[in-house]
Amino acid sequence: MSREVRITPSILNANLDDLASEIRRIAEVSDLVHLDIMDDQFVPNFTFDFEAATKIVKESVLPVDAHLMVLDADRIAPQYAQIGCTSVTLHVEATKDIAQTLKAIRSEGARSGLAVKPNTDIADYADFSDLVDMFLIMTVEPGFGGQKFMFDMVEKIQRARKIIGSRPIWLQVDGGISEETIEIAAAAGADTFVAGSAVFRSHDPAQMVAKLRELALSVPE
Ligand code: DX5
Ligand code: ZN
C-alpha cells in the first residue's frame, strides 16, 4: 500500500492583500489550505478576526484547515466549523473542555484536530484519540512563519504515530517544513504537512507543493 500524504500550505506568508488568488495558485496541487488564526493572546501575533476569516473561507477554492492559536478555543472552534472549515484544530493548552469542544466541531460537520506546542507531551492527550480526526505536532513555537524545524520534535511525532495505531487519524506537522525537513517528518510518521514560507516564498508555489509531496511520498512506510 502506498503512503498517504497531504500537503496543506499555510497562507501566513502569502500575499495577504489577495488571498483568494494566492489560494488559487496552489489549488490544483494541494489537499487543503491551512489557515492560521492568531489572537495576540495565546501567541504574540495577530492574523485574522472572525469576519476576515469567514471571507477567506467562503472565497477559498480549497477546503480550509483552520489552526486556532487563540484563547477561548471552546467558544471559537465550533464557529469555525459552522462557517464551513473542513477541519478545525484547537490547542490543548488553550481549551478548557477538550472533549466537549472536539465533539462540538464534529457535530458541526468538520474534522476535529488537536494540537500540542513543543513543550506539551502528546501522551497526556492520547485518551482523546476517539474524538480526534487529526493530531497536530507543532515543530516550532506557534506564532510566526519562517522559523526553523525543531529536530527534537521527531521523537514526539514517532510517539504520536504509535498512539494513533490503526485509527484513521491524520498526523500533521507544522513549522519549518521544507525540502530539507519533510522527509524526516514523514519518516517519523507524519502524513499531513503544513508548509508556509517554503511554499509562498518560493518563485513557483505550485511546483514547490508538488516537490514536497514527491519527497514525502519517497519515504518508505
Ligand atoms: C506558525 C503557524 C504555521 C506557519 C508555518 O505558528 O502555525 O502554520 O504558517 O510557517 P512555516 O512553514 O514558514 O514554518
Ligand atoms: Zn499553523
Side-chain angles (χ1 to χ4, degrees):
M1 214 177 83
S2 68
R3 169 183 278 276
E4 234 185 71
V5 164
R6 281 162 293 270
I7 311 288
T8 61
S10 160
I11 49 172
L12 192 60
N13 281 299
N15 173 11
L16 299 185
D17 294 331
D18 192 2
L19 281 177
S21 315
E22 290 286 77
I23 295 172
R24 278 198 295 273
R25 285 174 85 188
I26 46 113
E28 293 229 330
V29 286
S30 305
D31 298 278
L32 299 100
V33 61
H34 182 85
L35 181 63
D36 291 300
I37 305 296
M38 306 185 188
D39 65 353
D40 201 17
Q41 294 184 72
F42 180 64
V43 289
N45 194 3
F46 184 86
T47 55
F48 311 104
D49 63 18
F50 188 64
E51 198 187 334
T54 302
K55 188 167 177 284
I56 296 167
V57 174
K58 302 275 179 225
E59 289 179 356
S60 174
V61 292
L62 275 174
V64 174
D65 166 38
H67 175 196
L68 304 182
M69 285 158 278
V70 297
L71 289 182
D72 205 6
D74 304 76
R75 185 178 62 81
I76 293 169
Q79 298 177 350
Y80 276 84
Q82 275 161 14
I83 60 171
C85 294
T86 293
S87 171
V88 180
T89 299
L90 51 85
H91 268 269
V92 299
E93 304 88 354
T95 312
K96 290 184 194 77
D97 192 337
I98 295 173
Q100 170 57 33
T101 306
L102 291 170
K103 284 182 199 162
I105 293 169
R106 279 185 171 176
S107 71
E108 294 293 345
R111 296 176 58 90
S112 59
L114 195 58
V116 289
K117 297 208 286 183
N119 287 329
T120 305
D121 190 352
I122 185 74
D124 294 343
Y125 299 92
D127 286 352
F128 293 105
S129 294
D130 290 335
L131 299 174
V132 165
D133 297 305
M134 180 170 83
F135 280 117
L136 164 52
I137 307 296
M138 288 306 298
T139 42
V140 298
E141 281 299 336
F144 300 92
Q147 302 182 76
K148 285 207 166 22
F149 179 82
M150 294 170 67
F151 286 92
D152 48 348
M153 291 300 112
V154 166
E155 201 205 322
K156 197 198 283 192
I157 302 167
Q158 291 166 339
R159 215 171 323 135
R161 178 46 69 195
K162 283 209 186 91
I163 289 168
I164 289 171
S166 60
R167 296 184 187 88
I169 299 174
W170 297 356
L171 181 52
Q172 188 175 50
V173 283
D174 182 6
I177 297 298
S178 69
E179 287 175 280
E180 284 75 45
T181 56
I182 193 164
E183 291 160 283
I184 295 160
D191 57 17
T192 304
F193 304 86
V194 179
S197 49
V199 169
F200 282 102
R201 287 188 190 155
S202 78
H203 68 278
D204 187 342
Q207 195 182 47
M208 179 55 72
V209 172
K211 182 79 199 288
L212 291 172
R213 185 186 305 282
E214 193 187 304
L215 287 169
L217 283 169
S218 74
V219 175
E221 266 198 286

